[in-house]
Amino acid sequence: MPNTSADTDHLASGDSNYLVGLDLNGRRVVVVGGGTVAQRRLGLLIASGAVVEVISREATPAVEGMATGGRITLTLRDYADGDLDGAWYAIACTDEPATNAAVVAEATRRRIFCVRADHAQSGTAVTPATARYEGMTLGVLAGGRHRRSAAVRTAVLEALQSGVVTDDATPMTPGVALVGGGPGDPDLITVRGRRLLARADLVVADRLAPPELLAELGPDVEVVDAAKIPYGRAMAQDAINAALVEGARAGKFVVRLKGGDPYVFGRGYEELEACVDAGVPVTVVPGVTSPISVPAAAGIPVTHRGVTHEFVVVSGHIPPDHPDSLVDWPALARLRGTLVLMMAVERIEQFATVLRDGGRPADTPATVIQEGTLRGQRVLRATLANVAERVRSEEIRPPAIIVIGPTAGFSAAPIADATGRLQ
């Protein structure tokens, strides 16, 4: 009995529902119906520790998978009176109103609270729109008007996640959080990163960190632009480390806001070591990393079935022949997969030459993405033979990411394999 029950937004709102948290751990719950509505409800029931039995003539593949995995019991047959024996809670969610009514009737006789999915007000319980956040369970009821309760639930959750609404007025414990800000679009920072940023006393920000996020900070938050810390490149990292440690020792919660991910060419581990050595508590919040997300935003996957089985991310901050280079460029040239070059625009001629000399075909697609995920994003499509010339003629400037390999030639147009068949 797959569920295709209609929403109940047309019903009048009521205030007779009493919102309560049920302890279903180890207790029997019966769900009659194995369709999409049941599928949505089962996850939370399983997470609560309930002993769940689904009774239905047929079930969705996801529900069958839960049964195969031992998380629920699935009985493939019609509902029969008596199926609720021993249950603490029941859900009627078939696409047959008469069956749902019969389940509610049995539940009422047995004094078991029962949700009726197709007609909320005909049941003896209503499922709230729920969310879990930092050890709390949020629940919203709107008299069976599911879309309204879900909209309010989502708005409250997003407000908590973004820091617009706080669940704790207690100041954060002094320490440091290394937060990856993502590739540039402020919406691509992680939920946890945004939440910690909203509670910072001091923010030390990279130039590639999304600047819009800083505009959301309160007027009492001190912001230090790490790009303007003096003493040259080598000393700048020492100065940044010192700013983090000194801020935490002064009793502040410090967020080190970085572009991309802290550990992908971001010197994040150096900052973690400095904090640990100074006895400062530190946590790392991973970020959406640019070498994967920026190509994705431009329609380029770094891997694709049947095309490439590997991708390599390479720093281009020093030339291939530099004595400090740790990159085996001849080995990279022999690979057939995707190369993603970061900080490589200034030396693209050298990188393209060493790859061609090492065996990469000159007609290998090479795509350059400038200011990826931002409003000013530019995508330049070329080949390994002419990418350097095109970068100069089109005046491509950092920040930019260069993707080299078969998938770099992908676009939104249909993709064909070597035989001409569409993938």
Side-chain angles (χ1 to χ4, degrees), residues 69-115:
R71 295 190 289 167
I72 64 170
T73 299
L74 176 60
T75 303
L76 294 174
R77 61 166 173 80
D78 286 333
Y79 159 78
D81 191 73
D83 281 339
L84 303 189
D85 184 32
W88 288 69
Y89 187 64
I91 299 177
C93 55
T94 77
D95 59 359
E96 300 169 355
T99 299
N100 292 339
V103 174
V104 173
E106 180 187 351
T108 301
R109 292 197 311 271
R110 294 179 179 274
R111 297 187 178 183
I112 300 167
F113 282 109
C114 180
V115 172

Side-chain angles (χ1 to χ4, degrees), residues 316 343-351 391-392 398 402:
M343 301 172 283
V345 168
E346 294 179 0
R347 301 178 180 85
I348 183 57
E349 291 89 352
Q350 298 175 62
F351 299 133
V391 163
R392 301 308 173 211
I402 302 170

Side-chain angles (χ1 to χ4, degrees), residues 32-411:
V32 181
T36 55
V37 171
Q39 180 179 315
R40 292 199 303 269
R41 306 287 175 86
L42 288 173
L44 288 178
L45 290 173
I46 294 168
S48 72
V51 180
V52 181
E53 180 178 2
V54 176
I55 300 172
S56 181
R57 282 198 298 269
E58 55 184 326
T60 67
V63 173
E64 290 178 348
M66 295 178 194
T68 302
R71 295 190 289 167
I72 64 170
T73 299
L74 176 60
T75 303
L76 294 174
R77 61 166 173 80
D78 286 333
Y79 159 78
D81 191 73
D83 281 339
L84 303 189
D85 184 32
W88 288 69
Y89 187 64
I91 299 177
C93 55
T94 77
D95 59 359
E96 300 169 355
T99 299
N100 292 339
V103 174
V104 173
E106 180 187 351
T108 301
R109 292 197 311 271
R110 294 179 179 274
R111 297 187 178 183
I112 300 167
F113 282 109
C114 180
V115 172
R116 179 171 170 177
D118 63 335
H119 195 275
Q121 293 184 339
S122 295
T124 56
V126 176
T127 301
T130 62
R132 290 185 176 173
Y133 172 83
E134 294 290 307
M136 297 189 300
T137 298
L138 312 176
V140 180
L141 291 177
R145 300 173 66 188
H146 301 314
R147 291 182 182 176
R148 185 184 187 197
S149 59
V152 173
R153 178 274 319 274
T154 301
V156 172
L157 179 60
E158 290 178 349
L160 284 166
Q161 291 172 335
S162 66
V164 173
V165 173
T166 179
D167 63 316
D168 188 358
T170 305
M172 292 288 288
T173 302
V176 173
L178 307 180
V179 175
D185 185 332
D187 286 342
L188 294 179
I189 188 174
T190 64
V191 169
R192 188 182 185 198
R194 196 166 202 144
R195 185 168 68 247
L196 292 182
L197 183 63
R199 302 194 66 185
D201 302 307
L202 168 65
V203 176
V204 180
D206 269 357
R207 69 180 181 87
L208 293 180
E212 294 91 339
L213 295 174
L214 302 179
E216 299 175 359
L217 299 174
D220 57 331
V221 179
E222 180 184 358
V223 177
V224 175
D225 184 352
K228 294 182 179 179
I229 291 180
Y231 310 123
R233 186 162 189 169
M235 287 301 296
Q237 187 59 56
D238 292 338
I240 291 170
N241 296 347
L244 301 179
V245 171
E246 291 169 6
R249 285 178 169 171
K252 298 177 181 179
F253 176 60
V254 184
V255 168
R256 173 71 168 107
L257 183 62
K258 309 171 78 69
D261 180 274
Y263 284 178
V264 180
F265 303 130
R267 301 192 180 188
Y269 198 75
E270 296 179 39
E271 294 165 356
L272 179 140
E273 287 182 310
C275 292
V276 170
D277 289 345
V280 171
V282 60
T283 186
V284 179
V285 182
V288 177
T289 188
S290 301
I292 298 175
S293 59
V294 166
I300 298 172
V302 293
T303 65
H304 186 68
R305 182 164 57 97
V307 177
T308 175
H309 291 171
E310 83 274 342
F311 69 94
V312 180
V313 181
V314 183
S315 170
H317 73 286
I318 55 178
D321 57 355
H322 195 284
D324 291 338
S325 176
L326 303 177
V327 180
D328 188 340
W329 286 99
L332 290 182
R334 292 192 297 271
L335 294 179
R336 300 170 61 186
T338 306
L339 300 182
V340 182
L341 307 184
M342 303 178 67
M343 301 172 283
V345 168
E346 294 179 0
R347 301 178 180 85
I348 183 57
E349 291 89 352
Q350 298 175 62
F351 299 133
T353 297
V354 74
L355 289 173
R356 292 197 309 270
D357 291 347
R360 275 269 176 161
D363 61 354
T364 300
T367 296
V368 185
I369 305 127
Q370 177 180 303
E371 297 186 7
T373 76
L374 298 175
R375 180 176 296 180
Q377 175 175 297
R378 297 175 62 196
V379 179
L380 183 152
R381 296 185 180 275
T383 66
L384 202 54
N386 66 0
V387 63
E389 177 186 348
R390 294 287 311 282
V391 163
R392 301 308 173 211
S393 65
E394 297 294 331
E395 298 184 347
I396 298 295
R397 297 287 183 268
I401 284 178
I402 302 170
V403 186
I404 298 171
T407 63
F410 286 11
S411 67

